[in-house]
Amino acid sequence: MHGHDPHFYESIQGFLGSYYLVLSIMNAVAALYLWRRLGRWLEAALLVVLFGGGFVVLSGIAYGGGTRVLGLPQSFKDFVNANTGPVIYTLGTTAVLVIFFVFRRFFTKPAVAWVSLNLALLFMGLSMTDPNFSLIVTKPDNVPIVGLIFLLGFFTWLATYKAVLNDDRLAQGLPPLEKEDSEKVLVWPDLVYTELICMIALTALLLVWAIGLKAPLEAPASSVKTPNPSKAPWYFLGLQEMLVYYDPWMAGVVLPSLVLVGLMAIPFLDFNKKGNGYYTIAERPFGYIIFQLGFLELWITLIILGTFLRGPNWNFFGPYEYWDPHKVLALNNKDLSQFFWVDLLDSGLPKAPSDSGTLVQLGYILKRECVGFVGLAVYFVLLPPILAMTVFRKFFARMGFIRYMLMSNLLLFMAALPLKMVLRWVFNLKYIVHIDEYFLNF
Amino acid sequence: MAEKKKLSVAEILAAARKADSGGATAASESPATSPADVAPAEPAEVSAEAAVESTPAETPAPTAPKPATTGTPGKRPSVADILAAARQKQAPGAAAPAAKPAAAKPAAKPPGDKPANPAAKPAAGEAAPRGSGVKDTASILAAARGGNKPGPISKAEAAALTKPAAPARTTEKTKLAVPPMPAKPQYAATKPGEKKAVETEERRGFLGAFFGAFMGSFLGLGFSSLAATNALWGLGTARFMFPNVLIEPPSTFKVGPPTDFPPGAVSEKFKAQFGVWVVNGEYNGQQQLYAIRTVCTHLGCTPNWLEGEQKFKCPCHGSGFYKDGVNFEGPAPRPLERYAIRLADDGQLEIDKSKKFQEELGQWRDPSCFVVA
């Protein structure tokens, strides 16, 4: 909370006032729709009174110069800052996603979803009065990402909502909604008009964006001065987070290639003929869960982590925390070979005599890393058959040997990222196999 | 007979049906391919008797009674009809329907576009099964494949039509350049024993055609100049890689006397210009002066020296290094690299950036990478 603009609260009041005003208008429009189109006047009235009215009041307070009041209590912010770390963040997002998934029938109800959206926007508005939070969120680079988070939430809700509806219909023996609504429309004028309107609206949005948000230009590039923190484009921040846990060739080349190859392999690995052309979860739970795990958990949450929670020196910062470049975290880490030879056996790392030949040195390297190699062999070679005999028994029977091995190996590579993250956080493990003589680390 | 495109059975049958209904006129309009025209074009394949045999198949086409289709010209014959008609063709007199695909080919093309050759090919193809005396379904289909598909054609098909059907055995390329040879009389037709001589001639002709097409045409000219330009460009790029003057700091430079670097100090003075930290620190229990390269061993960012924390910290992925350059946190797999350093004759420290020393290879024991303080 130091080094900030003393006029911060005055500078934010205009934005907050219009923010809340827009929210109340949004609720009023929703209420109007409920009343006139759906005839549900009771809910409409509730919406207007609760959210429309509430946001108007908040807007008035903000315009009136009371932004200081509209914040979250300092104790709450301190609590959040103290308790968010990579572990809590990752486990928390996973837990939230699991809860959303398990209780999707409840959360996808339009009323619940609308209230959640309002609460999320309210929470965001309250957080905006924190100088540190506001500084990060209103960075020109990050504003579109905030928008994208809400957009992603909307589309995920929409898909899940339709899937829940379809699952209910399928359970009753009815065809999915998409099959009923298979009436053909004309390209001209139906589609072309829609496209034209979208095009114009998007162009207008881009114009407003370009004028409203300054391009984040920085000082001239210098080969010896790296910006701190140095961040990749937002869509690569998941990869950058992955690079914290893996060697560059692994996290920068092998794993991204496997992501692409794996996505391309899905049609060849998938034996479930259902769910083609309509939303469903119940008919293909495995595919749904694995995809959402890979996309929401291993890609989106990592992007959010990299964008908003990684600060100078790539340290982790809470959402309301000052980005102190001198924050010190105990992050000392060790390789598996050190754990085994030094800590467990209490002997030094096996080291070849300095005048030995290449083969002898290779032998010593193999001896040094034997635990890691055994671990990797168990993971990638032994685990697929074990899984085939236990969890994936049905999959193995339906897929055949080659397809099953491909699928299980891709799955294991995918799981390797969160596993490595957990190992780093819990045991401060750096690399499982660490052959820096040949730039080979895993 | 070379297969240019694969037709499905359905397509073949459709084509055969069309040829049957429209082929009567097509055959009468087609330029009468004389046996003399057909035979020399395929000296290796078409024996004289086969060529003779193929002619009656074409000439009586307009008048030959068609077993299934003459009564109702517009009606499509069934598959059985087509096959029956094709089998009937074994008798040379009643061979009309199966010859249609062959005759239809020149008709479908603009006149003057090498009328002799394409007609010869299907005829030759048909000659072979007829010679064997058996006409099974497969050979009928094969014959129909060789024929033309009437009606609208795709681009690929059009390309296949204009291309020679059997490039290995014909001299089409030469024919582009020279007028067609006069028909050889019967007694001069090549015998199987003389095959070799013919082949050499064809090979020579092929080379001639090749160079004719690629050196004498505008296409050839264009590609040749493109290749030449590219070659020049490549040479220029190669030259660019070895400039006359290198505008960069020398790889060997002096940083001042050792007294400029008190024990425990990390000098950042040479980071911007040379990419080097000069450190007076302890390594393996020995106080040394050494030069550390300012490149992170993880992904090559430039770390920062944090005086308060006494460590090098990379802003990209959070790798941390002790003062001696050994990695201890974050993903960096190995220590920072050292440059060669020595005490010059004038008492100054001299750093040589052309030599690197890596700890994990045991190179830091080399006395040329430190100066004992």
Side-chain angles (χ1 to χ4, degrees), chain A residues 22-34:
Chain A
V22 167
L23 291 190
S24 84
I25 291 170
M26 181 184 91
N27 276 294
V29 170
L32 199 68
Y33 175 80
L34 271 180

Side-chain angles (χ1 to χ4, degrees), chain A residues 35-315:
Chain A
W35 176 39
R36 299 307 293 255
R37 287 287 175 85
L38 306 180
R40 290 151 72 171
W41 58 272
L42 188 69
E43 282 125 315
L46 263 175
L47 208 61
V48 166
V49 171
L50 259 178
F51 286 111
F55 281 131
V56 164
V57 171
L58 288 177
S59 169
I61 296 175
Y63 273 132
T67 37
R68 217 173 280 267
V69 193
L70 291 182
L72 295 160
Q74 189 60 41
S75 56
F76 172 77
K77 290 197 265 187
D78 288 342
F79 175 78
V80 169
N81 283 345
N83 286 294
T84 41
V87 185
I88 296 284
Y89 173 78
T90 312
L91 293 182
T93 46
T94 314
V96 167
L97 287 175
V98 167
I99 289 171
F100 275 158
F101 175 72
V102 172
F103 299 106
R104 58 183 183 275
R105 209 162 287 280
F106 171 74
F107 283 109
T108 53
K109 278 180 188 162
V112 178
W114 188 258
V115 171
S116 313
L117 173 68
N118 270 309
L119 289 180
L121 289 167
L122 175 68
F123 182 72
M124 168 129 172
L126 292 178
S127 298
M128 284 299 283
T129 55
D130 183 84
N132 297 312
F133 185 90
S134 152
L135 193 70
I136 296 159
V137 167
T138 55
K139 232 178 111 187
D141 264 350
N142 295 347
V143 173
I145 304 175
V146 178
L148 281 178
I149 293 172
F150 281 98
L151 207 63
L152 180 84
F154 169 71
F155 282 122
T156 309
W157 168 78
L158 188 66
T160 321
Y161 174 69
K162 292 192 168 183
V164 167
L165 279 187
N166 277 343
D167 288 347
D168 286 347
R169 291 175 64 89
L170 291 166
Q172 291 164 18
L174 294 166
L177 273 175
E178 285 86 346
K179 289 267 151 64
E180 302 239 309
D181 188 28
S182 61
E183 207 174 312
K184 282 176 185 160
V185 292
L186 299 171
V187 168
W188 171 266
D190 303 87
L191 175 70
V192 176
Y193 263 38
T194 317
E195 282 179 347
L196 180 75
I197 291 165
C198 287
M199 202 168 77
I200 291 170
L202 257 179
T203 312
L205 176 78
L206 280 178
L207 279 175
V208 171
W209 181 355
I211 293 167
L213 292 171
K214 300 266 186 304
L217 294 179
E218 291 175 12
S222 159
S223 61
V224 290
K225 200 169 176 194
T226 313
N228 190 10
S230 200
K231 291 194 179 180
W234 64 267
Y235 43 85
F236 278 152
L237 281 175
L239 281 183
Q240 194 172 0
E241 192 61 27
M242 199 149 84
L243 275 163
V244 176
Y245 307 97
Y246 279 105
D247 191 68
W249 72 264
M250 199 64 203
V253 181
V254 175
L255 291 178
S257 314
L258 277 176
V259 170
L260 294 180
V261 171
L263 284 174
M264 282 190 264
I266 286 176
F268 303 99
L269 300 177
D270 185 23
F271 56 81
N272 190 349
K273 298 267 183 261
K274 290 174 181 168
N276 204 342
Y278 56 93
Y279 291 98
T280 178
I281 294 175
E283 283 195 343
R284 35 187 321 123
F286 179 74
Y288 180 84
I289 291 172
I290 294 299
F291 179 80
Q292 293 292 48
L293 180 78
F295 181 62
L296 291 181
E297 183 60 33
L298 295 184
W299 195 246
I300 299 299
T301 54
L302 288 185
I303 286 177
I304 295 171
L305 170 69
T307 308
F308 300 109
L309 303 174
R310 287 288 188 187
N313 296 330
W314 211 247
N315 280 331

Side-chain angles (χ1 to χ4, degrees), chain B residues 52-142:
Chain B
V52 171
E53 218 180 351
S54 74
T55 14
E58 285 174 19
T59 31
T63 49
K66 278 182 256 168
T69 53
T70 33
T72 50
K75 220 175 106 185
R76 286 183 171 180
S78 71
V79 179
D81 287 340
I82 295 166
L83 292 178
R87 287 208 179 89
Q88 266 200 0
K89 207 178 58 145
Q90 279 181 67
K100 290 292 153 53
K105 190 160 188 171
K109 285 208 239 169
D113 185 12
K114 309 178 269 169
N117 249 318
K121 228 76 16 84
E126 256 149 56
R130 209 179 309 148
S132 67
V134 188
K135 192 83 182 178
D136 58 341
T137 313
S139 53
I140 295 168
L141 291 177

Side-chain angles (χ1 to χ4, degrees), chain A residues 240 243 248 326 333 430-431 434, chain B residues 298 302 309 316 327-328 331 333:
Chain A
Q240 194 172 0
L243 275 163
H326 294 286
N333 49 29
K430 193 197 289 175
Y431 290 118
H434 178 82
Chain B
H298 178 232
T302 308
E309 293 83 5
C316 289
N327 55 317
F328 69 97

Side-chain angles (χ1 to χ4, degrees), chain A residues 292-352:
Chain A
Q292 293 292 48
L293 180 78
F295 181 62
L296 291 181
E297 183 60 33
L298 295 184
W299 195 246
I300 299 299
T301 54
L302 288 185
I303 286 177
I304 295 171
L305 170 69
T307 308
F308 300 109
L309 303 174
R310 287 288 188 187
N313 296 330
W314 211 247
N315 280 331
F316 188 94
F317 291 88
Y320 309 110
E321 196 174 344
Y322 171 65
W323 279 17
D324 181 7
H326 294 286
K327 181 178 181 176
V328 179
L329 290 172
L331 294 171
N332 294 31
N333 49 29
K334 280 194 263 185
D335 297 316
L336 186 63
S337 51
Q338 282 172 323
F339 275 111
F340 181 73
W341 292 103
V342 180
D343 295 354
L344 190 71
L345 300 185
D346 207 16
S347 65
L349 286 179
K351 208 164 191 178

Side-chain angles (χ1 to χ4, degrees), chain B residues 3-65:
Chain B
E3 292 287 332
K4 272 292 151 203
K5 61 202 169 198
K6 272 195 179 167
L7 291 176
S8 71
V9 176
E11 276 177 308
I12 293 163
L13 291 175
R17 275 190 196 113
K18 269 212 177 156
D20 250 352
S21 55
T25 46
S28 60
E29 279 165 19
S30 70
T33 41
S34 71
D37 257 348
V38 175
E42 292 275 322
E45 256 197 3
V46 185
S47 62
E49 48 178 9
V52 171
E53 218 180 351
S54 74
T55 14
E58 285 174 19
T59 31
T63 49

